Amino acid sequence: MDGEAAPGLAKSAAVKLSEMGERTKQLGTAMRDPHRQRRIILVIVCVALLLDNMLYMVIVPIIPDYLAELESEQSERVRAGKHPNASANSTSQDQSMKDNLDVQIGVLFASKAILQLMVNPLSGTFIDRVGYDIPLLIGLSVMFVSTCIFAFGENYATLFAARSLQGLGSAFADTSGIAMIADKYTEESERSTALGIALAFISFGSLVAPPFGGVLYEFAGKRVPFIVLACICLADGFLLLTVIRPFSNRTRENMPVGTPIYKLMIDPYIAVVAGALTVCNIPLAFLEPTIANWMESTMHSSQWEMGLTWLPAFFPHVLGVYITVKLAAKNPNLQWFYGALGMVIIGASSCMVPACKTFGQLIAPLCGICFGIALVDTALLPTLAFLVDVRHVSVYGSVYALADISYSVAYAMGPIVAGQIVHSLGFVQLNLGMGLVNVLYAPSLLLLRKVCQMKPSHSERDNLLEEAPQGLYDTIQMEERRAKKKGYSNSLHSHHSLSFNQIDSM
């Protein structure tokens, strides 16, 4: 019987292997479908952005308490080795250590944005040269290493190195991820929707990370939150390797050469957008390190209230993204207005913060700030890609590196400058100043009202879609049409440059 059953089992195993091979082949074919592939790419990028912002904010409830414990242990050891009469100076020593701890926390929080600010000009150029997939993989790899160091680091120097390393990873992952979305989604409405989804993941990561980290830190210890994030990062990297295959033998010769970042910085339209992205994020960047102390001193808030301060703001942020995407689809020529309106809302909400007396009252202006930021980001990030399309070369690494620089300027200053402003001028003056800056900057977005006049007609758009591939990946995959595309793109670029000169002369 065993001899007769063996051939049947072998045949059954062969059938199953054949079926598995067929399913794998079908999956590979599905992966090569452009529409399905770009959806998977959107998922990969969104997870990367989620991880980066969760790692950025998850340390908020963990690191201050952890460093305080380390400082307390060191203080106890110092006191144990001193003469008993030295205890009279313990109060002044405790105050000195507290001030030193505040400085250490501020520098630690800012180090990520500072390094990101320094690396972004280089990462943008690198992305323009090699494409978007390899830099995204580099960014995820660095973020994975950074997260592991956070999990097992047990002194300030190690945590500082991990935080700075995260800035290096973010400079590659964030910039290449957003640029990849802009490259794969070429239609303006689809691009706005895809970037809006990415912004929603950024918001979710930033706002859910503090309670996520605080709960796990309280019940499972310091390592667990970072180990969870490291595992998700590893899974996202494997998905990237499986779907996009960044090291496959695709020809990267004769790729379009992107416009250098220094030329993008002096483009008046792009400069206005970059300035708006910096200014609109200043209230969030400056309030995050200062609002907890203000709540404790003025409202006598509990730890859970301070920990959940920003969580309700996630919902108006997503609502702002949704509304802006819908409005942009109907009236794409009013993107500048949506951004300006968002800055006015941010300014008014920022001025309302110091007037709040309870936690419930504080929720409203914080929601207003995040709602306004959603309007500005969702309106202006697609505008950057469109400005590159009609004013420069359609390669997006440098322009989104410039956007990342804009964010990093705000978040590099926040943990260091905000505390000094509160100490010297007061919390009320800080908020009034941030609100005034946003309201005064909003009219500068009027310059962008001419952007809609640079748009090609529907016939030009159809011809462009038919005659030339859109985006860097399609350029690589359709090499035989490269010469034709290059000639058409040059003529189209000349046409838009002419149109722009005519607009300026009006």
Side-chain angles (χ1 to χ4, degrees):
M1 291 294 293
D2 292 342
E4 295 177 0
L9 290 173
K11 185 177 181 181
S12 177
V15 170
K16 289 182 179 180
L17 287 173
S18 177
E19 290 177 353
M20 289 178 61
E22 187 65 26
R23 289 175 184 174
T24 304
K25 186 177 180 180
Q26 291 175 356
L27 181 62
T29 303
M31 291 293 189
R32 286 192 290 271
D33 179 69
H35 293 286
R36 292 185 180 181
Q37 189 183 59
R38 68 179 186 174
R39 289 177 184 174
I40 298 174
I41 287 172
L42 180 61
V43 171
I44 293 171
V45 173
C46 287
V47 172
L49 296 173
L50 173 74
L51 285 166
D52 180 49
N53 286 273
M54 285 195 71
L55 184 57
Y56 177 78
M57 293 297 296
V58 76
I59 70 171
V60 170
I62 297 175
I63 295 302
D65 184 71
Y66 184 72
L67 290 179
E69 288 183 4
L70 294 179
E71 197 77 25
S72 177
E73 292 175 2
Q74 182 179 359
S75 177
E76 290 296 330
R77 288 195 297 268
V78 170
R79 288 178 184 175
K82 288 186 175 181
H83 194 274
N85 294 333
S87 61
N89 298 323
S90 61
T91 303
S92 61
Q93 291 174 355
D94 288 343
Q95 183 61 40
S96 175
M97 287 184 178
K98 184 178 184 302
D99 294 339
N100 181 56
L101 183 62
D102 290 340
V103 172
Q104 287 182 340
I105 293 172
V107 173
L108 180 67
F109 275 56
S111 60
K112 183 255 187 190
I114 292 173
L115 190 65
Q116 194 169 344
L117 184 64
M118 296 168 60
V119 174
N120 263 316
L122 302 176
S123 67
T125 303
F126 179 73
I127 292 166
D128 285 348
R129 294 292 184 271
V130 305
Y132 310 115
D133 43 13
I134 292 178
L136 179 57
L137 182 62
I138 292 173
L140 286 171
S141 302
V142 174
M143 286 166 55
F144 173 76
V145 174
S146 168
T147 311
C148 292
I149 295 175
F150 260 120
F152 298 99
E154 295 184 352
N155 57 66
Y156 180 81
T158 306
L159 297 175
F160 181 84
R163 182 69 166 180
S164 302
L165 195 62
Q166 190 208 348
L168 176 63
S170 299
F172 284 93
D174 292 3
T175 304
S176 59
I178 296 293
M180 186 182 290
I181 292 175
D183 180 75
K184 298 301 289 184
Y185 290 85
T186 56
E187 286 295 330
E188 289 140 35
S189 60
E190 292 182 343
R191 181 180 283 170
S192 294
T193 302
L195 290 174
I197 293 172
L199 288 172
F201 273 81
I202 291 174
S203 172
F204 182 73
S206 298
L207 300 178
V208 81
F212 165 82
V215 170
L216 287 181
Y217 174 65
E218 180 73 22
F219 295 102
K222 179 180 79 74
R223 294 180 179 178
V224 174
F226 298 107
I227 291 174
V228 171
L229 294 179
C231 291
I232 298 174
C233 187
L234 191 64
D236 198 42
F238 277 122
L239 184 60
L240 173 64
L241 285 170
T242 303
V243 175
I244 303 180
R245 298 179 181 178
F247 300 107
S248 60
N249 295 322
R250 291 181 301 172
T251 304
R252 296 178 181 271
E253 299 176 358
N254 300 321
M255 290 196 309
V257 179
T259 305
I261 193 169
Y262 70 89
K263 290 187 177 180
L264 297 177
M265 293 175 70
I266 61 176
D267 184 312
Y269 294 93
I270 293 177
V272 166
V273 173
L277 294 176
T278 299
V279 171
C280 79
N281 280 277
I282 284 178
L284 185 59
F286 280 45
L287 283 175
E288 281 176 348
T290 58
I291 197 168
N293 289 335
W294 177 76
M295 290 173 64
E296 186 177 9
S297 60
T298 59
M299 301 178 183
H300 306 290
S301 298
S302 60
Q303 289 293 327
W304 73 266
E305 286 178 331
M306 290 186 287
L308 297 178
T309 302
W310 294 100
L311 188 59
F314 168 73
F315 301 100
H317 187 278
V318 174
L319 179 63
V321 170
Y322 178 80
I323 291 174
T324 309
V325 168
K326 291 297 183 182
L327 290 175
K330 294 181 179 179
N331 299 289
N333 58 322
L334 293 179
Q335 295 276 55
W336 65 271
F337 176 74
Y338 308 141
L341 178 62
M343 299 194 77
V344 172
I345 293 173
I346 293 169
S349 300
S350 180
C351 293
M352 290 170 56
V353 169
C356 298
K357 303 300 182 184
T358 65
F359 175 73
Q361 294 175 358
L362 184 62
I363 290 176
L366 295 184
C367 287
I369 289 173
C370 288
F371 180 79
I373 291 175
L375 262 61
V376 178
D377 289 348
T378 311
L380 297 186
L381 282 180
T383 302
L384 281 176
F386 180 75
L387 286 169
V388 168
D389 287 338
V390 298
R391 301 263 290 145
H392 304 281
V393 181
S394 295
V395 180
Y396 308 101
S398 290
V399 75
Y400 282 112
L402 190 57
D404 211 24
I405 288 172
S406 303
Y407 293 125
S408 299
V409 168
Y411 287 96
M413 293 191 301
I416 298 175
V417 177
Q420 298 297 324
I421 295 176
V422 171
H423 179 73
S424 57
L425 299 177
F427 188 78
V428 175
Q429 286 73 14
L430 171 68
N431 282 271
L432 293 178
M434 294 187 301
L436 185 62
V437 168
N438 271 274
V439 172
L440 292 178
Y441 194 92
S444 66
L445 295 180
L446 283 167
L447 180 65
L448 300 179
R449 72 189 188 279
K450 295 181 179 181
V451 168
C452 62
Q453 301 177 36
M454 301 180 202
K455 294 184 179 181
S457 65
H458 289 293
S459 60
E460 285 179 343
R461 185 75 179 180
D462 292 340
N463 288 336
L464 182 62
L465 291 172
E466 290 175 4
E467 295 189 29
Q470 289 292 298
L472 183 59
Y473 281 88
D474 294 332
T475 304
I476 296 172
Q477 293 171 355
M478 301 173 67
E479 296 176 59
E480 68 276 5
R481 301 171 67 181
R482 205 178 258 131
K484 185 178 181 181
K485 175 187 181 298
K486 187 176 181 182
Y488 187 86
S489 297
N490 289 338
S491 64
L492 181 63
H493 181 66
S494 301
H495 166 77
H496 285 306
S497 300
L498 180 60
S499 300
F500 173 72
N501 292 332
Q502 291 172 348
I503 291 167
D504 277 352
S505 64
M506 291 176 64

